[in-house]
């Protein structure tokens, strides 16, 4: 219901609507989104309608990740805290901390992905091995990337989230190897030159990492769009199959009714023929009876005249 002051009433808040949408299975997402956007337009909340309509249908992996976030809030919070600790350890390049946290990361990512698969199975939508791997990739991204963590924390993952390339397969690999101590340089010029080279190499690595992240995000976006299109096509095919099956059942029922009607028509046609035959016979018998009655009446009249 809309309030008298024009503000959204219960169930109209955009954030609440988005939370509702991303909690739905992908097959129900589009229809509910259009319903909620239409309601916002009807209530003259055009900006809200645009935000709702812009929501992208999640892939099955994205839905499973969101389901995990909502269904296991305590575990999810600990997982987010682990991600913050891992990112901080990576920033400070603490080898011992990285080693311990990375081992913990592998265990918890595996456990969380199994929980997501179990929840999806309980919801009637089991995950394939490929989809479960996408969930694991998303969980690794949540640990490594604060932006990915924010998306997952909000429960609005749309597709597979890709970890930053500098974290690689394991953040421990990012720890630089120990080097043997070398005699200290006494020349300030040599020190400045070495520092400049290190800074240039660092800048180059950061630039390459940034390009890799951008390429990965672009590739993920294309992949997500293809998956969404494929899932929508599969859903459309499923609906068409169901409609075709229902139409076939209706045709079969109508054909059965038509067959019964034709049988009934043939029976009534036969009965009509028999009734016509009986009517003609009765008509003949009636005419004969009328002639006999007339003749009898004439005979009776003559006999009465003869008596007189």
């Amino acid at each position: 219901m809309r309030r008298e002051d024009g503000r959204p009433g219960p169930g109209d808040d955009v954030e609440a609507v988005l939370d509702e949408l991303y909690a739905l299975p992908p097959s129900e997402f589009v229809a509910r989104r259009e319903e909620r956007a239409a309601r916002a337009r009807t209530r003259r909340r055009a900006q809200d309608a645009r935000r709702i309509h812009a929501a992208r249908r999640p892939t099955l992996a994205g839905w499973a990740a969101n389901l995990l976030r909502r269904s296991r809030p305590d575990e999810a919070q600990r997982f987010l805290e682990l991600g913050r600790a891992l990112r901080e350890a990576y920033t400070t390049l603490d080898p011992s901390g990285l080693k311990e946290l990375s081992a913990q990361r592998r265990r918890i990512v595996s456990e969380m992905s199994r929980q997501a698969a179990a929840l999806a199975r309980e919801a009637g939508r089991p995950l394939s091995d490929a989809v479960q791997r996408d969930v694991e990739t998303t969980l690794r991204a949540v640990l490594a990337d604060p932006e990915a963590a924010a998306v997952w924390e909000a429960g609005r993952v749309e597709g597979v989230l890709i970890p930053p390339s500098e974290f690689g397969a394991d953040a421990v690999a990012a720890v630089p190897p120990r080097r043997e101590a070398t005699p200290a340089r006494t020349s300030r010029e040599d020190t400045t030159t070495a520092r400049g080279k290190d800074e240039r190499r660092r800048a180059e690595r950061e630039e390459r990492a940034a390009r890799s992240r951008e390429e990965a995000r672009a590739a993920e976006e294309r992949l997500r769009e293809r998956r969404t299109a494929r899932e929508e096509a599969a859903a459309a095919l499923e609906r068409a199959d169901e409609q075709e099956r229902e139409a076939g059942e209706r045709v079969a029922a109508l054909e059965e009714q038509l067959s019964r009607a034709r049988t009934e028509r043939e029976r009534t046609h036969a009965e009509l023929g028999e009734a016509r035959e009986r009517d003609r016979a009765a008509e003949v018998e009636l005419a004969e009876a009328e002639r006999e009655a007339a003749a009898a009446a004439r005979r009776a009249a003559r006999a009465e005249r003869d008596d007189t």
Side-chain angles (χ1 to χ4, degrees), residues 3 18 24 34 37 64 112 115-116 121 131 146 157 160 163 188 191 199 205 219 225 232 235 253 289 296:
R3 299 176 179 174
L18 293 175
L24 293 172
E34 298 308 306
M112 294 286 278
Q115 288 188 30
R121 188 165 51 252
V131 173
V157 177
V160 182
R188 176 176 297 180
T191 303
E199 290 177 354
R205 286 197 301 271
E225 290 176 355
E232 289 177 351

Side-chain angles (χ1 to χ4, degrees), residues 115-133:
Q115 288 188 30
L119 290 168
R121 188 165 51 252
E122 291 172 4
R125 290 170 173 81
L127 307 182
S128 66
D129 291 341
V131 173
Q132 189 165 354
R133 285 194 296 271

Side-chain angles (χ1 to χ4, degrees), residues 95-278:
S96 60
L98 271 176
K99 184 176 180 180
E100 180 181 351
L101 287 173
S102 295
Q104 185 179 359
R105 184 194 72 169
R106 288 191 296 272
R107 290 194 302 271
I108 196 168
V109 164
S110 179
E111 175 59 28
M112 294 286 278
S113 67
R114 284 196 294 269
Q115 288 188 30
L119 290 168
R121 188 165 51 252
E122 291 172 4
R125 290 170 173 81
L127 307 182
S128 66
D129 291 341
V131 173
Q132 189 165 354
R133 285 194 296 271
D134 287 343
V135 174
E136 291 181 359
T137 300
T138 294
L139 292 173
R140 288 198 299 271
V142 170
L143 292 178
D145 184 359
E147 293 182 4
V151 172
W152 186 65
E153 186 173 14
R156 297 178 189 174
V157 177
E158 296 176 355
V160 182
L161 301 178
I162 304 299
S165 57
E166 61 264 28
F167 268 75
D170 195 331
V172 174
V175 180
R178 292 180 178 271
R179 296 180 179 177
E180 295 297 328
T182 58
R185 295 182 181 271
T186 57
S187 170
R188 176 176 297 180
E189 181 179 351
D190 291 343
T191 303
T192 303
T193 301
R195 185 181 299 115
K197 289 180 179 179
D198 288 342
E199 290 177 354
R200 284 195 299 273
R201 283 195 293 268
R202 187 181 302 109
E204 290 172 357
R205 286 197 301 271
E206 292 177 353
E207 183 179 354
R208 286 196 300 271
R211 284 198 303 269
S212 298
R213 284 196 301 271
E214 184 60 30
E215 290 171 359
R217 291 184 190 281
E220 168 56 23
E221 177 64 18
R222 290 193 297 272
L223 177 61
R224 184 179 59 78
E225 290 176 355
R226 299 300 185 274
R227 283 176 171 163
T228 298
R230 175 64 181 83
E231 290 178 359
E232 289 177 351
L237 176 61
E238 184 179 353
R239 290 194 299 271
D241 285 343
E242 180 66 17
Q243 291 170 356
E244 194 275 339
R245 185 187 62 78
E246 292 176 353
E249 291 176 352
R250 290 196 297 271
V251 168
L254 291 172
E255 288 177 343
E256 177 65 21
Q257 292 178 10
L258 178 61
S259 177
R260 289 197 299 269
R262 283 174 174 168
T263 301
E264 181 66 15
R265 182 175 180 275
E266 291 173 358
R267 184 184 64 78
T268 56
H269 182 74
E271 290 178 353
L272 176 62
E274 293 174 359
R276 283 174 175 169
E277 288 295 329
R278 289 194 299 270

